[in-house]
Amino acid sequence: MRVLLSTWGSRGDVEPLAGLAVALRGLGAEASVAAPPDDDFVELLGRAGVPLVPLGPSVKSVVSGEKPPTAKDAFWLAPELVRARFEVLGKAAEGCDLMMGSGLMPAGVRDVAEHLGIPYVYACFQIFGLPSRHFRPGQRPGTPSSEDETDSEVLWKQDAERVNGLYGEALNAGRAKLGMPPVDNVRDHVFTDRPLLAADPTLCPSEGMTNYDDLVQTGAWLLPDERPLPDDLTAFLDAGAPPVYVGFGSMAAHAPSDIARVATESIRAQGHRVLLGSGWAGLGLVDDADDCFAIGEVNQQALFRRVAAVVHHGGAGTTTTAAGAGAPQVIMPRIADQPYWASRVADLGIGVAHMDSTATVESLTAALTQVLTPETRARASEVAGMIRTDGATVAAKMLLER
């Protein structure tokens, strides 16, 4: 059996598919991943032994400017990705038995699958974007809904209209070239009636939270990481008490201003050492004191078991990895679903949601004061035992049975 998994987005959109591909391979299937051609993702998939099908522009080229991407950028990117999916996936999917769309609104994947007569599945990594009676849609480029509007049916209808405005013209142009009729609701067409939710049920409870009666939650798709930590990092960890880790992943222009200095001063005020993850924001040391250390990309599954706390942006992957390691968290959400993960961490008692978009030494110190307590550490350890690690295998078996 051959499976083509497709995504476009940050590491949190690519790594779960790598985990699923490895699980599928373990069950005898062949799986490849269509993803952005960023060097980080090439290395990630190569390390996992998963073939990469380059799809669309690199994510770094879109998000790593001095300022965050604008609405104008979104109205360029959306149709560009749709056209890329028709062109790239139409060739890559030949001979496949199943196609999956995930990541940033994968309009075009289902359409290629239907044209080739291949079953299609949509997967998401949180419930934030799924229509629901319990929360408002997230922000998208286009005409915003009124803050006074409270009718969920109206709000989600307007969300569908914004999706159509971004993707509809390009999608229906691609379908027309294949002799297929137009689609009038791109979002619902992409999501299908039975999406897969690849998120841990403790961190992201879904029952009754969306408008989908047939939503299937498998647990998060984790990619096992057996890499040892670098020798210099291990030496730093062994030289003293566990440090506090600070990293913002692929949040380049979105990282809080001056966060390296603010975090260093706040963590030192708590009597802890500092570990900075450079990430796409390029966080670096603010001085040459020996209580601070900076790292690039490493095995976070191993690292987070050795830190006092994790300060991060609240991506689904980082949140799940920290929770599974039993590390207390301070989440400083920047965009999209990150406020949701921040609120879940706070609700579970395993960390603090720093919801202010700016960070000061005072605000981060206050958050760390709450997190760096024996009570929070004990609760984080308790929740770690609840985090499922078999989500990718559950999903792989389900897909093969389909």
Side-chain angles (χ1 to χ4, degrees):
M1 179 173 179
R2 292 186 57 208
V3 181
L4 177 60
L5 311 173
S6 175
T7 191
W8 197 92
S10 68
R11 185 187 184 98
D13 296 299
V14 178
E15 187 163 336
L17 296 194
L20 177 59
V22 169
L24 285 164
R25 187 174 66 209
L27 296 174
E30 297 179 32
S32 55
V33 173
D38 293 79
D39 291 344
D40 291 4
F41 307 151
V42 172
E43 189 278 331
L44 169 69
L45 291 164
R47 174 163 49 85
V50 176
L52 167 67
V53 177
L55 177 67
S58 72
V59 177
K60 245 184 182 178
S61 69
V62 175
V63 305
S64 60
E66 293 184 2
K67 296 181 179 179
T70 64
K72 182 180 179 181
D73 295 324
F75 277 100
W76 165 82
L77 178 63
E80 183 73 13
L81 289 177
V82 172
R83 287 188 288 267
R85 292 184 185 111
F86 276 102
E87 178 181 350
V88 173
L89 302 183
K91 300 173 183 176
E94 292 179 0
C96 285
D97 302 287
L98 181 71
M99 291 180 67
M100 174 181 289
S102 64
L104 180 65
M105 190 57 67
V109 183
R110 177 177 180 175
D111 313 275
V112 171
E114 288 182 354
H115 178 67
L116 296 175
I118 301 172
Y120 162 83
V121 177
Y122 169 72
C124 54
F125 308 124
Q126 31 78 22
I127 61 174
F128 181 71
L130 299 177
S132 170
R133 297 177 295 276
H134 300 283
F135 48 81
R136 297 172 66 95
Q139 293 183 348
R140 294 188 199 273
T143 304
S145 299
S146 168
E147 290 295 328
D148 297 328
E149 181 61 69
T150 59
D151 187 310
S152 64
E153 186 173 342
V154 171
L155 289 169
W156 285 100
K157 180 176 182 295
Q158 292 171 345
D159 177 70
E161 292 169 353
R162 287 189 286 272
V163 173
N164 283 347
L166 285 163
Y167 299 92
E169 183 176 352
L171 181 70
N172 286 325
R175 288 176 64 87
K177 288 182 180 180
L178 299 177
M180 304 170 72
V183 168
D184 61 5
N185 186 323
V186 175
R187 185 198 65 200
D188 291 357
H189 172 73
V190 168
F191 288 178
T192 76
D193 294 328
R194 195 176 187 234
L196 285 183
L197 174 59
D200 186 83
T202 297
L203 295 174
C204 182
S206 64
E207 187 172 355
M209 293 302 296
T210 74
N211 295 351
Y212 292 89
D213 294 331
D214 293 328
L215 178 69
V216 179
Q217 185 165 14
T218 63
W221 299 344
L222 305 178
L223 176 64
D225 195 340
E226 303 299 331
R227 292 176 296 165
L229 296 175
D231 291 343
D232 54 353
L233 172 57
T234 299
F236 175 75
L237 294 171
D238 290 343
V244 173
Y245 171 87
V246 182
F248 285 81
S250 56
M251 296 293 101
H254 287 287
S257 176
D258 202 22
I259 186 59
R261 180 194 62 81
V262 169
T264 298
E265 292 186 21
S266 303
I267 294 167
R268 282 173 170 167
Q270 299 294 314
H272 281 268
R273 300 188 298 157
V274 184
L275 183 59
L276 293 174
S278 59
W280 287 7
L283 303 189
L285 301 177
V286 298
D287 56 39
D288 58 1
D290 61 6
D291 66 339
C292 298
F293 194 81
I295 58 173
E297 198 279 318
V298 300
N299 179 352
Q300 290 188 340
Q301 296 172 19
L303 174 62
F304 287 175
R305 300 189 190 103
R306 300 200 57 183
V307 300
V310 177
V311 179
H312 64 103
H313 57 297
T318 307
T319 303
T320 303
T321 300
Q329 305 179 51
V330 175
I331 295 185
M332 306 174 68
R334 317 310 299 162
I335 58 173
D337 59 322
Q338 295 166 12
Y340 170 80
W341 295 110
S343 66
R344 285 300 301 152
V345 161
D347 290 345
L348 286 166
I350 61 175
V352 170
H354 185 296
M355 303 303 283
D356 195 330
S357 60
T358 60
T360 64
V361 173
E362 292 74 22
S363 68
L364 188 51
T365 297
L368 287 168
T369 299
Q370 296 182 57
V371 164
L372 295 171
T373 63
E375 293 78 14
T376 303
R377 167 63 66 175
R379 177 58 179 163
S381 296
E382 179 185 4
V383 171
M386 306 175 188
I387 304 300
R388 294 182 57 172
T389 59
D390 63 345
T393 300
V394 169
K397 290 179 178 178
M398 184 182 302
L399 292 175
L400 294 182
E401 289 171 358
R402 284 190 177 186

